[in-house]
Amino acid sequence: MDIRKARPSEAEICYSFINDARAYHAKLGFVQWHEGYPVLQTIMDDINAGIGYALVNKSDEPLGYCCFVVGEEPAYKVIDGKWLNDAPYAVVHRMAFSKNIRGKGASGEAMDLLKKLALSLGIKTIRVDTQAENKVMQHILEREGFVHCGYVQFDGGPKLAYQWEEE
Protein backbone atom coordinates (compact mmCIF):
# COMPACT_ATOMS: atom_id res chain seq x y z
CA MET A 1 0.00 0.00 0.00
CA ASP A 2 1.08 3.58 -0.60
CA ILE A 3 -0.36 7.01 0.17
CA ARG A 4 -0.77 9.99 -2.11
CA LYS A 5 -3.01 13.00 -2.46
CA ALA A 6 -6.43 11.98 -3.72
CA ARG A 7 -7.49 13.25 -7.12
CA PRO A 8 -10.77 15.09 -7.77
CA SER A 9 -11.82 12.25 -10.07
CA GLU A 10 -11.56 9.88 -7.07
CA ALA A 11 -13.89 11.78 -4.72
CA GLU A 12 -16.80 9.39 -5.26
CA ILE A 13 -14.81 6.23 -4.65
CA CYS A 14 -13.22 7.82 -1.57
CA TYR A 15 -16.68 8.72 -0.33
CA SER A 16 -17.80 5.14 -0.93
CA PHE A 17 -15.21 4.09 1.67
CA ILE A 18 -16.89 6.42 4.17
CA ASN A 19 -20.21 4.71 3.45
CA ASP A 20 -18.60 1.25 3.74
CA ALA A 21 -17.30 2.29 7.16
CA ARG A 22 -20.70 3.67 8.17
CA ALA A 23 -22.31 0.32 7.36
CA TYR A 24 -19.60 -1.54 9.29
CA HIS A 25 -20.01 0.74 12.31
CA ALA A 26 -23.78 0.24 12.21
CA LYS A 27 -23.26 -3.54 12.32
CA LEU A 28 -21.10 -2.99 15.40
CA GLY A 29 -23.89 -0.91 16.96
CA PHE A 30 -22.63 2.67 16.87
CA VAL A 31 -22.44 5.77 14.69
CA GLN A 32 -18.98 7.22 14.04
CA TRP A 33 -20.24 9.72 11.46
CA HIS A 34 -23.86 10.87 11.28
CA GLU A 35 -25.64 11.01 7.92
CA GLY A 36 -25.02 14.75 7.49
CA TYR A 37 -21.24 14.45 7.95
CA PRO A 38 -19.12 13.76 6.12
CA VAL A 39 -20.87 14.08 2.78
CA LEU A 40 -19.43 13.83 -0.72
CA GLN A 41 -18.82 17.59 -0.72
CA THR A 42 -16.67 17.19 2.43
CA ILE A 43 -14.42 14.77 0.58
CA MET A 44 -14.32 17.02 -2.50
CA ASP A 45 -13.41 19.98 -0.28
CA ASP A 46 -10.62 17.94 1.35
CA ILE A 47 -9.21 16.96 -2.04
CA ASN A 48 -9.42 20.50 -3.40
CA ALA A 49 -7.66 21.81 -0.28
CA GLY A 50 -4.86 19.27 -0.72
CA ILE A 51 -5.63 17.45 2.54
CA GLY A 52 -7.53 14.44 1.12
CA TYR A 53 -5.33 11.37 0.77
CA ALA A 54 -5.90 8.08 -1.02
CA LEU A 55 -4.40 4.87 0.29
CA VAL A 56 -3.63 2.97 -2.90
CA ASN A 57 -2.57 -0.50 -4.03
CA LYS A 58 0.38 -1.27 -6.33
CA SER A 59 -1.83 -0.47 -9.32
CA ASP A 60 -2.47 3.02 -7.86
CA GLU A 61 -6.15 2.20 -7.24
CA PRO A 62 -7.67 3.71 -4.08
CA LEU A 63 -8.39 1.26 -1.27
CA GLY A 64 -8.90 3.81 1.49
CA TYR A 65 -9.18 7.48 2.28
CA CYS A 66 -8.30 9.94 5.02
CA CYS A 67 -8.00 13.62 5.65
CA PHE A 68 -4.49 14.53 6.84
CA VAL A 69 -3.93 18.08 8.07
CA VAL A 70 -0.73 19.59 9.38
CA GLY A 71 -1.66 22.33 11.82
CA GLU A 72 -3.93 22.99 14.72
CA GLU A 73 -7.37 21.45 15.03
CA PRO A 74 -9.54 24.04 16.82
CA ALA A 75 -11.51 21.30 18.61
CA TYR A 76 -8.26 20.04 20.16
CA LYS A 77 -7.44 23.30 21.95
CA VAL A 78 -9.56 22.26 24.94
CA ILE A 79 -9.04 18.75 26.25
CA ASP A 80 -10.42 17.03 29.33
CA GLY A 81 -7.06 15.42 30.03
CA LYS A 82 -3.62 16.38 28.76
CA TRP A 83 -1.89 16.08 25.40
CA LEU A 84 1.57 14.47 25.49
CA ASN A 85 3.22 17.69 24.33
CA ASP A 86 2.59 21.06 22.72
CA ALA A 87 4.67 20.33 19.62
CA PRO A 88 3.35 21.04 16.12
CA TYR A 89 1.15 18.17 14.99
CA ALA A 90 -0.82 16.60 12.17
CA VAL A 91 -4.41 15.44 12.48
CA VAL A 92 -6.05 12.43 10.87
CA HIS A 93 -9.80 12.62 10.19
CA ARG A 94 -12.25 10.51 8.19
CA MET A 95 -10.12 7.39 7.80
CA ALA A 96 -12.04 4.69 5.97
CA PHE A 97 -11.27 1.67 3.81
CA SER A 98 -12.97 -0.38 1.16
CA LYS A 99 -15.01 -3.19 2.67
CA ASN A 100 -12.98 -5.52 0.43
CA ILE A 101 -9.80 -5.03 2.46
CA ARG A 102 -11.23 -4.87 5.99
CA GLY A 103 -9.35 -7.16 8.35
CA LYS A 104 -6.33 -7.52 6.07
CA GLY A 105 -3.88 -5.19 7.85
CA ALA A 106 -4.70 -2.01 5.94
CA SER A 107 -5.10 0.12 9.06
CA GLY A 108 -1.62 -0.73 10.32
CA GLU A 109 -0.08 -0.04 6.92
CA ALA A 110 -2.00 3.24 6.68
CA MET A 111 -0.83 4.38 10.12
CA ASP A 112 2.78 3.59 9.19
CA LEU A 113 2.40 5.60 5.98
CA LEU A 114 0.83 8.52 7.83
CA LYS A 115 3.66 8.53 10.39
CA LYS A 116 6.22 8.56 7.57
CA LEU A 117 4.32 11.33 5.81
CA ALA A 118 4.26 13.41 8.98
CA LEU A 119 7.97 12.87 9.60
CA SER A 120 8.78 13.79 5.99
CA LEU A 121 7.05 17.11 6.65
CA GLY A 122 9.03 17.69 9.85
CA ILE A 123 6.09 16.77 12.11
CA LYS A 124 6.74 14.29 14.93
CA THR A 125 3.27 14.20 16.47
CA ILE A 126 -0.13 13.02 15.19
CA ARG A 127 -3.47 13.51 16.95
CA VAL A 128 -6.69 11.61 16.30
CA ASP A 129 -10.15 11.43 17.87
CA THR A 130 -12.73 8.67 17.83
CA GLN A 131 -16.02 7.63 19.37
CA ALA A 132 -15.99 5.87 22.74
CA GLU A 133 -17.98 3.06 21.09
CA ASN A 134 -15.42 2.59 18.31
CA LYS A 135 -13.43 -0.17 20.01
CA VAL A 136 -11.91 -1.26 16.70
CA MET A 137 -10.30 2.15 16.10
CA GLN A 138 -9.20 2.38 19.72
CA HIS A 139 -7.48 -1.00 19.34
CA ILE A 140 -5.80 0.11 16.11
CA LEU A 141 -4.58 3.36 17.64
CA GLU A 142 -3.20 1.70 20.76
CA ARG A 143 -1.56 -1.06 18.70
CA GLU A 144 0.09 1.61 16.56
CA GLY A 145 1.57 3.46 19.55
CA PHE A 146 -1.04 6.16 20.09
CA VAL A 147 -1.73 7.14 23.70
CA HIS A 148 -5.20 8.01 25.03
CA CYS A 149 -4.85 11.57 26.34
CA GLY A 150 -8.41 12.44 27.36
CA TYR A 151 -11.55 13.76 25.68
CA VAL A 152 -12.26 16.54 23.20
CA GLN A 153 -15.55 17.99 22.03
CA PHE A 154 -15.88 17.36 18.30
CA ASP A 155 -18.84 17.11 15.94
CA GLY A 156 -21.42 17.53 18.70
CA GLY A 157 -20.06 15.28 21.40
CA PRO A 158 -17.14 14.04 23.42
CA LYS A 159 -14.54 11.99 21.54
CA LEU A 160 -11.59 10.04 22.83
CA ALA A 161 -8.40 11.93 22.03
CA TYR A 162 -5.23 10.06 21.06
CA GLN A 163 -1.71 11.19 20.28
CA TRP A 164 1.36 9.58 18.75
CA GLU A 165 4.82 11.05 18.93
CA GLU A 166 8.08 9.85 17.48
CA GLU A 167 10.28 8.43 20.18
Side-chain angles (χ1 to χ4, degrees):
M1 186 181 302
D2 203 359
I3 189 168
R4 63 164 169 74
K5 290 192 177 189
R7 300 174 183 129
S9 62
E10 297 168 331
E12 287 189 23
I13 191 163
C14 291
Y15 184 62
S16 77
F17 305 145
I18 297 289
N19 285 329
D20 285 350
R22 275 190 178 117
Y24 177 64
H25 298 153
K27 281 184 183 178
L28 295 177
F30 70 93
V31 175
Q32 176 72 38
W33 303 302
H34 57 78
E35 283 302 315
Y37 172 86
V39 294
L40 177 58
Q41 187 63 50
T42 309
I43 306 310
M44 291 169 54
D45 291 347
D46 288 351
I47 293 170
N48 290 332
I51 58 174
Y53 283 80
L55 298 147
V56 298
N57 63 15
K58 290 180 182 182
S59 300
D60 201 40
E61 299 166 331
L63 301 173
Y65 174 81
C66 71
C67 172
F68 182 82
V69 181
V70 174
E72 290 192 10
E73 166 58 65
Y76 292 179
K77 287 184 179 186
V78 177
I79 183 170
D80 181 7
K82 185 169 178 24
W83 292 113
L84 299 178
N85 60 43
D86 293 326
Y89 60 91
V91 178
V92 178
H93 286 306
R94 300 183 279 286
M95 180 178 280
F97 299 95
S98 165
K99 62 186 171 191
N100 299 327
I101 64 165
R102 189 172 296 118
K104 297 181 180 172
S107 60
E109 285 185 64
M111 287 299 185
D112 285 344
L113 290 167
L114 290 166
K115 290 173 186 176
K116 287 176 185 172
L117 176 59
L119 293 171
S120 77
L121 298 171
I123 301 297
K124 298 179 179 181
T125 301
I126 299 174
R127 295 180 181 178
V128 180
D129 65 83
T130 193
Q131 295 286 103
E133 299 88 354
N134 194 342
K135 303 296 184 197
V136 172
M137 187 62 165
Q138 292 168 49
H139 171 76
I140 291 165
L141 291 169
E142 290 167 9
R143 181 191 70 208
E144 299 303 322
F146 284 74
V147 176
H148 178 234
C149 295
Y151 298 85
V152 293
Q153 292 294 320
F154 192 84
D155 193 32
K159 309 281 182 174
L160 283 81
Y162 284 85
Q163 183 171 331
W164 169 84
E165 63 180 342
E166 183 188 41
E167 296 178 0

